[in-house]
Amino acid sequence: MACEHVDVLVVGAGLSGVGAACRLQQRCPHKTFAVLEARGEIGGTWDLFRFPGVRSDSDMFTLCYPFRPWSGAQAIVDGASILEYVRQTARAHGIDEKIRFHHRVTGAEWSSSDARWIVEVERGDTGETIHMACGFLFTCTGYFRYDEGHTPELQGVERFAGDIVHPQFWTEDIDYAGKRVVVIGSGATAVTLVPALAQRAAHVTMLQRSPSYIISLPAVDPLAGLLGHVLPTRLAYPIVRWKNVMLTLAIYTFSRRRPAAMKRLIRTLLARRLPPGFDVDTHFNPRYDPWDQRMCLVPDGDLFDAIGDGRASIVTDQIETLTETGLALASGSELEADLIVTATGLKMVPFGAIHLRVDGTDVDLSAALAYRGMQVSGVPNMAFAFGYTNQSWTLGADLTCEQVCKLLDYMDRCGYAACVPRNRDPAITGVPFADLTSGYVLRAIDQFPKQGSQHPWQREQNYARNWTSMRRARIEDPALEFSRAAPTANSETAFVARDIDVAVRADVSDETP
Ligand SMILES: Cc1cc2nc3c(=O)[nH]c(=O)nc-3n(C[C@H](O)[C@H](O)[C@H](O)COP(=O)(O)OP(=O)(O)OC[C@H]3O[C@@H](n4cnc5c(N)ncnc54)[C@H](O)[C@@H]3O)c2cc1C
């Protein structure tokens, strides 16, 4: 098939895709690449979500790219600032010119004899279906569907006279000033929305079936503020970044090792922050252990202030049905509402719903294992960027980008055309890709490849350890099968994959210069 060929095709122009393109340009300058983006804008998550108060819930010193340090002391920032940061990074590195908007990748077929992918692309602007070829496919497609959020079935929806909106589809014209708003949910989106809506609404009620763990952290990083006065960003940034990496890891590790102690600590901090007599045990005492689900962060306790001022309240109950004027609850009480916001979650989807095929056979992701949390067993020349769930996404996504560059460099130096991970160890079993028990994860995790029970198939949620091991690790690994390529007489671009060998070569260093 005659079509445009690039060495690397990056799919997605969000935080990960822009970062991947920057890394490729820096580390593999000889490689040709393009970025295909389904939407008309850069930024992914940070362009899509426009609900009041949308912000980061991890600090910007670790959410930013290491090659473009976040300056200033503000650690938790609004979505618009993150979007502008991603856009500026793309502009500064000339990546904006590499992005093809309105290009949705729907399928990709690998041919071992040609050692390339043929990628099917739907163009949203012209309605055409086009094809592109690439040597390596790098999906930076995030983890959720853009066209649908998760909304549980609500009885009596048709009776409710007010408006119902999912935060994923919030538009600027939604008027909540002076209205009684009920936010259904208890996750990161709900705890972000409640204090923001409470600034203009008559009252906001957070209606939760069960509580989440919520901790307050300063919106302005005190160390960044201090160092900002005495050191240039170049020196201050790595100190603040590593302080935050270690702090979040310490909170995570303590939560996993000493859940009862962490529960007590969170309860004590909450009781101090909430109004006297507040029923902490009903509204802030989850049924699960800390970090079984993502912990919610509120900057400077803004949620607790809204509750303390009486502008917001929390109800822990179940919805029986919607009525003309609000919600009837299982306890028998009723909540009056003019506007209901269903902060009930995302719909996860692996790799942008791209239909993958290898040599004519459909890839069954659910039966595959993820190698180092970035490649899929049995799928050649493909990687995916998936950040951490217990720390900033970018920490994990950027390590993957670095590792992909290292792999591409290694393959070039050794003359390999294809690399495919294969698990040959029967002792390694598959476990879910993410170990969170949140509803949105459990609903979809079976569609994702599994992680393995042991290294290198295990997806370790520890940036500090991964950072060290990825720098030291050689690309050669018995779990990676490399094959060489040789041009055939048939076509300029055709290759024959041959000399398949498990590369254990001591003579070639894989360290990137
Ligand atoms: C409200 C909200 C707040 C969050 N806050 C934080 C936070 O504070 N810290 C944190 O670490 N994480 C946070 N996250 C997670 C967040 O998604 C990541 O931080 C990060 O933005 C993910 O970037 P990404 O580029 O990998 O994916 P996305 O931002 O989802 O971008 C993916 C891009 O790929 C495109 N795409 C998808 N499929 C295809 C396809 N088939 N063809 C072409 N293009 C495609 C999409 O259109 C999109 O532009 C938050 C998520 C949400 C929803």
Side-chain angles (χ1 to χ4, degrees):
M1 183 184 295
C3 56
E4 182 186 352
H5 178 98
V6 287
D7 294 328
V8 185
L9 200 57
V10 176
V11 188
L15 199 52
S16 305
V18 169
C22 292
R23 284 299 193 190
L24 276 169
Q25 198 161 261
Q26 287 166 352
R27 301 277 167 100
C28 306
H30 53 289
K31 291 276 178 208
T32 56
F33 71 91
V35 183
L36 302 188
E37 168 53 55
R39 304 175 73 238
E41 299 293 337
I42 286 176
T45 300
W46 304 105
D47 181 64
L48 177 75
F49 282 85
R50 303 288 177 134
F51 61 79
V54 60
R55 57 162 169 78
S56 63
D57 61 3
S58 62
D59 72 277
M60 284 309 294
F61 303 97
T62 55
L63 191 63
C64 74
Y65 306 111
F67 54 83
R68 193 173 168 85
W70 184 253
S71 54
Q74 192 74 30
I76 305 298
V77 303
D78 59 21
S81 304
I82 303 174
L83 177 58
E84 192 47 33
Y85 168 82
V86 181
R87 281 184 179 152
Q88 276 179 12
T89 306
R91 261 199 305 274
H93 289 255
I95 301 304
D96 47 351
E97 287 166 16
K98 301 270 190 183
I99 303 172
R100 311 205 187 158
F101 293 107
H102 304 291
H103 281 56
R104 174 183 302 283
V105 177
T106 51
E109 166 118 32
W110 170 261
S111 157
S112 290
S113 55
D114 295 339
R116 66 172 184 175
W117 288 96
I118 298 290
V119 173
E120 187 179 85
V121 183
E122 273 176 12
R123 288 198 55 173
D125 48 354
T126 62
E128 289 169 278
T129 298
I130 61 161
H131 292 88
M132 283 182 76
C134 65
F136 197 95
L137 183 66
F138 192 5
T139 63
C140 297
T141 46
Y143 59 98
F144 60 85
R145 284 180 66 150
Y146 274 62
D147 56 342
E148 267 182 52
H150 171 72
T151 310
E153 210 176 303
L154 297 170
Q155 293 293 314
V157 153
E158 65 295 340
R159 285 157 65 195
F160 181 59
D163 293 318
I164 303 177
V165 61
H166 192 286
Q168 194 162 332
F169 305 105
W170 190 280
T171 49
E172 268 176 21
D173 56 348
I174 296 172
D175 180 22
Y176 57 94
K179 293 194 173 163
R180 296 162 303 173
V181 184
V182 173
V183 177
I184 305 174
S186 60
T189 301
V191 305
T192 303
L193 268 163
V194 170
L197 292 172
Q199 288 175 15
R200 289 170 56 201
H203 186 81
V204 184
T205 308
M206 184 165 119
L207 173 60
Q208 56 181 15
R209 196 172 43 186
S210 56
S212 305
Y213 289 104
I214 303 178
I215 55 171
S216 171
L217 283 179
V220 173
D221 190 299
L223 182 64
L226 189 72
L227 294 183
H229 292 299
V230 289
L231 291 176
T233 303
R234 166 176 68 83
L235 298 177
Y237 166 70
I239 300 173
V240 180
R241 176 181 167 84
W242 275 101
K243 183 268 290 176
N244 287 350
V245 166
M246 299 320 284
L247 182 69
T248 47
L249 267 179
I251 294 173
Y252 178 76
T253 310
F254 184 67
S255 301
R256 301 312 280 166
R257 293 205 181 139
R258 306 276 310 278
M262 189 63 181
K263 261 178 125 136
R264 277 197 303 276
L265 177 64
I266 295 173
R267 197 201 174 284
T268 307
L269 295 173
L270 284 167
R272 272 194 213 148
R273 202 62 179 72
L274 286 157
F278 188 90
D279 188 355
V280 180
D281 292 322
T282 299
H283 303 305
F284 289 102
N285 186 17
R287 292 190 285 250
Y288 55 88
D289 281 338
W291 270 113
D292 280 355
Q293 300 186 12
R294 259 188 90 116
M295 207 177 275
C296 296
L297 181 146
V298 292
D300 296 329
D302 60 358
L303 174 71
F304 311 132
D305 289 340
I307 293 169
D309 297 350
R311 291 176 284 127
S313 51
I314 302 192
V315 171
T316 305
D317 208 328
Q318 301 236 22
I319 302 168
E320 198 79 358
T321 180
L322 267 58
T323 64
E324 285 74 12
T325 54
L327 303 100
L329 306 178
S331 64
S333 57
E334 293 212 3
L335 279 177
E336 301 273 290
D338 306 307
L339 172 66
I340 296 175
V341 187
T342 50
T344 41
L346 304 161
K347 275 197 173 164
M348 283 177 69
V349 68
F351 314 151
I354 299 170
H355 179 190
L356 295 172
R357 285 167 69 82
V358 172
D359 293 327
T361 305
D362 288 346
V363 174
D364 178 2
L365 287 177
S366 62
L369 281 186
Y371 172 80
R372 287 181 179 271
M374 57 171 262
Q375 284 174 275
V376 181
S377 63
V379 181
N381 288 20
M382 185 249 179
F384 61 92
F386 202 98
Y388 295 118
T389 43
N390 63 345
Q391 296 164 86
S392 278
W393 178 274
T394 322
L395 292 172
D398 187 61
L399 273 189
T400 297
C401 296
E402 284 198 74
Q403 190 68 8
V404 165
C405 293
K406 216 167 138 178
L407 173 65
L408 293 170
D409 184 50
Y410 172 81
M411 288 171 68
D412 278 356
R413 280 186 288 126
C414 299
Y416 291 130
C419 162
V420 58
R422 293 201 198 280
N423 174 31
R424 297 170 198 284
D425 183 350
I428 292 175
T429 50
V431 292
F433 187 70
D435 65 354
L436 298 177
T437 61
S438 319
Y440 73 96
V441 175
L442 295 180
R443 277 192 294 274
I445 203 66
D446 283 353
Q447 301 165 32
F448 283 72
K450 307 225 169 355
Q451 58 171 313
S453 50
Q454 289 169 40
H455 178 81
W457 303 93
Q458 211 167 21
R459 192 170 152 260
E460 201 178 24
Q461 294 276 312
N462 184 324
Y463 175 72
R465 250 207 306 261
N466 290 344
W467 185 82
T468 317
S469 68
M470 278 217 185
R471 265 170 178 70
R472 285 199 194 132
R474 302 176 74 82
I475 292 291
E476 299 108 337
D477 184 336
L480 287 184
E481 187 179 278
F482 290 94
S483 51
R484 289 183 197 289
T488 65
N490 296 343
S491 85
E492 270 179 53
T493 53
F495 290 87
V496 198
R498 64 180 188 199
D499 298 336
I500 291 183
D501 51 44
V502 175
V504 188
R505 293 172 48 130
D507 56 324
V508 185
S509 160
D510 60 78
E511 290 305 320
T512 339

